[in-house]
Amino acid sequence: MTYEEFADARLGALLRYAVMLTGDPHQAQDLVQDTMVRVQLHWRRVARSDAPERYVRRMLTNQFIDWRRGSWARRVLLRGDVDDSVPASADHAQSAVDRDQVRSWLSRLPRRQRAALVLRYYEDLPDGEIAEILGCAVGTVRSSISRALATLRAELVEVS
């Protein structure tokens, strides 16, 4: 598989994943672009890996966690852009409010916890693959997800 074939096949999925991480479609595009430049520069190593998509997803996740170390996170604006991958519901306004609320809650989590939640519930990956992508132990993944969910539950109680 060439870099171009990989990019054509997986760019959309990587962009959707990045939107869930960043909470902002424009920042997600920047994140994916930066990552794909690095992927192209190191394509031989990526192509030799057992699972190139997993390798690139890990690169993207690491790039998100390290990206501009905090100053970037303070500048993220959460937008309610329409996500074409989600089926339309009868109440578009409520869907937008719900989406914005989830993005808002996710944006308050530390980056590793946020990445762990997105990998688990959006990408539907098992703990072992999440640990591989985040470069940590399976127990750390479970702990991160548990802490993130506890934080989100506390946020939900405050809203109710």
Side-chain angles (χ1 to χ4, degrees):
M1 173 183 291
T2 67
Y3 170 79
E4 291 78 13
E5 291 169 340
F6 176 83
D8 285 343
R10 300 308 310 154
L11 197 57
L14 291 170
L15 185 57
R16 287 188 300 274
Y17 172 59
V19 167
M20 292 303 296
L21 286 177
T22 64
D24 179 277
H26 304 288
Q27 293 289 336
Q29 289 172 351
D30 291 345
L31 177 62
V32 170
Q33 182 178 358
D34 289 352
T35 302
M36 292 305 287
V37 166
R38 292 177 59 215
V39 168
Q40 186 176 27
L41 292 172
H42 303 288
W43 179 247
R44 288 185 188 155
R45 186 177 339 151
V46 172
R48 281 193 311 258
S49 70
D50 293 335
E53 182 178 357
R54 191 178 313 156
Y55 192 98
V56 172
R57 190 181 295 144
R58 181 173 185 176
M59 289 175 71
L60 191 139
T61 304
N62 288 340
Q63 183 82 0
F64 167 72
I65 291 170
D66 295 338
W67 212 21
R68 299 183 190 150
R69 289 283 179 188
S71 65
W72 172 79
R74 286 188 292 274
R75 293 182 296 151
V76 170
L77 299 174
L78 298 175
R79 294 181 176 87
D81 294 342
V82 175
D83 184 358
D84 296 331
S85 67
V86 178
S89 69
D91 187 358
H92 299 290
Q94 187 59 47
S95 294
V97 168
D98 292 345
R99 183 178 51 248
D100 288 346
Q101 186 63 58
V102 169
R103 286 180 177 169
S104 176
W105 288 334
L106 285 174
S107 72
R108 295 180 198 145
L109 294 173
R111 290 175 181 229
R112 285 179 100 45
Q113 288 180 10
R114 183 177 189 173
L117 278 183
V118 170
L119 288 166
R120 164 69 65 75
Y121 296 107
Y122 184 74
E123 294 289 322
D124 198 29
L125 295 179
D127 292 342
E129 286 185 41
I130 296 170
E132 185 179 320
I133 290 168
L134 294 177
C136 62
V138 172
T140 304
V141 168
R142 291 180 182 151
S143 173
S144 293
I145 290 171
S146 177
R147 287 184 183 134
L149 290 174
T151 301
L152 293 177
R153 280 187 204 104
E155 293 280 338
L156 186 60
V157 168
E158 288 179 17
V159 171
S160 299

